[in-house]
């Protein structure tokens, strides 16, 4: 209910207009009972057609105004709900894109998708229909008050029946909390199976995982259907209690009212009007009670979005340098993931001079990717600090720092859009000639030429249909277009063929000549041989640092010879 009231009261002027409209709608709603009373009391007793015509015309006019006011209130509610939905959507997207990387990654990807899918549930649960029902509910008291003026006894009967329906609805809705939460959790699990079936075709077919996955899917589906059945039973109880309450109220009002008529305390017209008033009062309240289940689902989705909103956000303010030369200093650096018994590394002290080439080696799981993400400012060290030209990265403005780096992550992902949009996301002003030149430099010319629309080719499914080696080189093009001074490459040669490795070596050689600082997470001999220092993460807990025996000139010639070795392989 809080979210509904928040949407209603978000704009005081619009809220006041909806309150006034709701009051007028309720007053005009009295016209139907007044019409029935007057027709039975005046027309049947006098038989004057003009009286019937006048009463009918008045009733139609009241109905027209009521419908017009309901339409106007609906438009106001739609405007308020659309604004609230947009604000929630923007907040959710901001939480996903601006929260600290490490905090977001602790939430499973499927859970994050379910949180964002909850925006549709919120839209349905807190939509205009439920806003209107909530605004109409208080005016049930108006109908009961008028009913009390006609017959206190009938008003008491109506009040007792309505109270019983409300209590029954609250009890059944409380019973539905557990199956609602269970349904939400099972829906996330089932969505995970569906994602695997839809996007992991090779896994399912090549390794015959279909039976195992179908078994897990069937078990989860069965549990989900059970939760839905329990929830459906509870919803049926709510609906049946409202239906039975309406029938019971009509019977009691008509039965007791007949005795009142027989005793001369009430006329027939007033009895019919009283029955209409009691029905309107019950209808206004049962509409609210019936939407409690939908509100529960909406509140559950709001709670999930709240988990996103509570994630710590990245800094929006920080220090910047007028010019970043490319020097990095690692001081007592240490990192460990939460609940990890031992750190990936600790007590790492090393200075990376501007323009140098550093290789970071290690087995799978040794921490190369975590180290790359730390240098890229995505995660923070557990201890120690990283200085960029003497400035602590924890004080740097994140957006500024990401413009200083050329970052190739290990897991390559694109978004659904054109290839040009994906490649120029760091620098949208880049011209096609520059993009294509970089693509040809990385031996991607044939791929671009073979694509039907060239750079306009649409990327689907996060680029998973693009061959891994080509996808990795396209990601390097994307990174290089940013023109950063610090180059951080996480396993750049993975899945790349010999031609691609020669192109990669040539690009690295060009970056060395441009005095870029290059840090490569790799186990490739041709890259390691070109490095001026190697950080070996296999040595725990303090990585071993192996410096080149020769000076920088020898190291530079080592780059040249390594490139030549690859180019002639």
């Amino acid at each position: 209910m809080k979210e509904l009231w928040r949407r209603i009261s978000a704009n005081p002027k619009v809220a006041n207009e909806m309150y006034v409209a709701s009051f007028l709608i309720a007053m005009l709603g009295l016209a139907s009972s007044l019409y029935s009373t007057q027709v039975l009391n005046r027309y049947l007793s006098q038989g004057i057609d003009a009286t019937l015509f006048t009463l009918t015309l008045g009733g139609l006019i009241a109905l027209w105004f009521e419908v017009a006011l309901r339409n106007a209130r609906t438009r106001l509610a739609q405007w308020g709900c659309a604004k609230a939905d947009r604000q929630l959507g923007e907040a959710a997207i901001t939480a996903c894109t601006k929260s600290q990387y490490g905090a977001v990654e602790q939430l499973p990807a499927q859970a994050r998708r379910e949180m964002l899918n909850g925006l549709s549930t919120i839209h349905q649960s807190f939509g205009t229909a439920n806003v209107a029902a909530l605004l109409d509910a208080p005016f049930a008291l108006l109908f009961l008050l008028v009913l009390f003026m006609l017959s206190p006894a009938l008003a008491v009967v109506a009040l007792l029946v309505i109270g019983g329906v409300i209590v029954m609805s609250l009890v059944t809705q409380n019973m539905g909390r557990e199956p609602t939460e269970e349904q939400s959790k099972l829906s996330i699990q089932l969505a995970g199976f569906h994602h695997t079936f839809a996007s992991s075709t090779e896994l399912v077919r090549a390794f015959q995982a279909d039976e195992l996955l179908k078994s897990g899917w069937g078990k989860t589906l069965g549990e989900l259907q059970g939760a839905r059945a329990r929830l459906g039973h509870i919803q049926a109880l709510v609906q049946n209690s409202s239906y039975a309450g309406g029938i019971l109220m009509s019977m009691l009002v008509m039965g007791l009212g007949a005795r009142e008529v027989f005793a001369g305390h009430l006329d027939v017209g007033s009895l019919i009007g009283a029955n209409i008033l009691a029905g309107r009062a019950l209808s206004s309240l049962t509409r609210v009670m019936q939407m409690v289940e939908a509100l529960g689902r909406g509140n559950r989705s709001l709670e999930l979005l709240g988990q996103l909103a509570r994630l710590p956000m990245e800094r929006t303010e920080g220090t910047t340098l007028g010019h970043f030369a490319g020097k990095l200093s690692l001081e007592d650096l240490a990192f460990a993931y939460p609940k990890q018994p031992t750190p990936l590394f600790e007590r790492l002290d090393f200075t990376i001079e501007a323009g140098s080439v550093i290789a970071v080696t290690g087995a799978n799981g040794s921490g190369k990717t975590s180290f790359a993400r730390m240098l890229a400012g995505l995660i923070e060290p557990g201890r120690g600090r990283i200085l960029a030209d003497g400035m602590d990265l924890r004080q740097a403005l994140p957006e500024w720092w990401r413009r200083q780096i050329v970052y190739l992550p290990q897991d390559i992902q694109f978004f659904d859009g054109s290839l040009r949009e994906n490649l120029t996301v760091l620098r949208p002003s880049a011209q096609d000639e520059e993009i294509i030149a970089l693509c040809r430099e990385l031996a991607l010319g044939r791929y671009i030429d073979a694509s039907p629309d060239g750079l306009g080719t649409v990327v689907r499914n996060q680029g998973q249909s693009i061959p891994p080696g080509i996808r990795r080189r396209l990601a390097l093009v994307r990174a290089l277009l940013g023109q950063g001074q610090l180059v951080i490459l996480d396993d750049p040669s993975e899945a790349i063929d010999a031609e691609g490795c020669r192109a990669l070596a040539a690009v690295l050689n060009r970056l060395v000549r441009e005095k870029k600082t290059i840090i490569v997470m790799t186990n490739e001999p041709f890259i390691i041989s070109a490095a001026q220092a190697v950080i070996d993460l296999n040595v725990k807990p303090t990585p071993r640092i192996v410096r080149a025996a020769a000076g920088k000139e020898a190291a530079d010639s080592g780059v040249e010879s390594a490139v030549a070795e690859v180019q002639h392989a």
Side-chain angles (χ1 to χ4, degrees), residues 391-447:
M391 179 182 68
D392 193 333
L393 274 190
R394 285 174 294 195
Q395 299 175 352
L397 181 65
E399 292 184 2
W400 171 83
W401 177 242
R402 286 166 194 155
R403 291 195 298 270
Q404 312 308 311
I405 64 175
V406 173
Y407 178 51
L408 177 70
Q410 184 181 55
D411 298 324
I412 305 302
Q413 293 180 341
F414 294 106
F415 55 84
D416 287 1
S418 71
L419 186 58
R420 180 186 294 102
E421 290 171 332
N422 274 277
L423 296 181
T424 61
V425 65
L426 287 171
R427 191 159 60 89
S429 61
Q431 299 299 309
D432 286 1
E433 294 77 9
E434 181 183 0
I435 302 170
I436 292 174
L438 267 176
C439 289
R440 296 195 185 284
E441 187 179 11
L442 280 163
L444 292 169
R446 286 196 302 272
Y447 175 78

Side-chain angles (χ1 to χ4, degrees), residues 306-500:
Q307 293 181 27
L308 275 179
R310 287 190 293 271
L311 294 177
M313 302 295 288
E314 280 190 340
R315 298 183 306 279
T316 56
E317 297 179 352
T319 307
T320 63
L321 299 176
H323 172 70
F324 173 56
K327 179 179 178 180
L328 285 182
S329 299
L330 315 179
E331 296 183 355
D332 192 27
L333 209 60
F335 181 79
Y337 283 105
K339 300 181 180 179
Q340 188 178 18
T342 57
L344 286 176
F345 52 83
E346 63 179 1
R347 296 193 300 274
L348 176 56
D349 288 285
F350 186 57
T351 297
I352 303 173
E353 297 295 340
S356 59
V357 180
I358 307 297
V360 181
T361 66
N364 292 340
S366 62
K368 297 193 301 297
T369 295
S370 298
F371 186 54
R373 289 172 176 169
M374 191 178 303
L375 295 177
L378 296 174
I379 57 178
E380 292 188 354
R383 191 182 71 239
R385 59 180 185 167
I386 302 173
L387 302 179
D389 282 358
M391 179 182 68
D392 193 333
L393 274 190
R394 285 174 294 195
Q395 299 175 352
L397 181 65
E399 292 184 2
W400 171 83
W401 177 242
R402 286 166 194 155
R403 291 195 298 270
Q404 312 308 311
I405 64 175
V406 173
Y407 178 51
L408 177 70
Q410 184 181 55
D411 298 324
I412 305 302
Q413 293 180 341
F414 294 106
F415 55 84
D416 287 1
S418 71
L419 186 58
R420 180 186 294 102
E421 290 171 332
N422 274 277
L423 296 181
T424 61
V425 65
L426 287 171
R427 191 159 60 89
S429 61
Q431 299 299 309
D432 286 1
E433 294 77 9
E434 181 183 0
I435 302 170
I436 292 174
L438 267 176
C439 289
R440 296 195 185 284
E441 187 179 11
L442 280 163
L444 292 169
R446 286 196 302 272
Y447 175 78
I448 299 297
D449 294 339
S451 299
D453 299 315
L455 294 177
T457 301
V458 177
V459 177
R460 300 293 186 193
N461 193 28
Q462 295 183 322
Q464 295 303 308
S465 60
I466 301 175
I470 292 177
R471 188 165 67 241
R472 183 162 293 276
R473 280 178 280 164
L474 285 172
L476 184 53
V477 171
R478 175 180 63 187
L480 289 169
L481 282 171
Q483 299 179 332
Q485 178 62 28
L486 173 63
V487 180
I488 305 169
L489 308 179
D490 191 354
D491 215 346
S493 60
E494 181 182 3
I496 295 181
D497 57 17
E499 180 187 24

Side-chain angles (χ1 to χ4, degrees), residues 231-253:
L231 193 57
H233 177 67
I234 292 169
Q235 293 170 351
L237 284 176
V238 175
Q239 294 172 355
N240 291 336
S241 64
S242 300
Y243 173 76
I247 298 296
L248 178 62
M249 176 180 286
S250 182
M251 291 174 61
L252 291 175
V253 168

Side-chain angles (χ1 to χ4, degrees), residues 144 153-167 248-249 252:
L144 290 174
L154 295 183
V156 171
V157 169
L159 193 58
L160 290 174
V161 174
I162 290 174
V165 171
I166 291 175
V167 170
L248 178 62
M249 176 180 286
L252 291 175

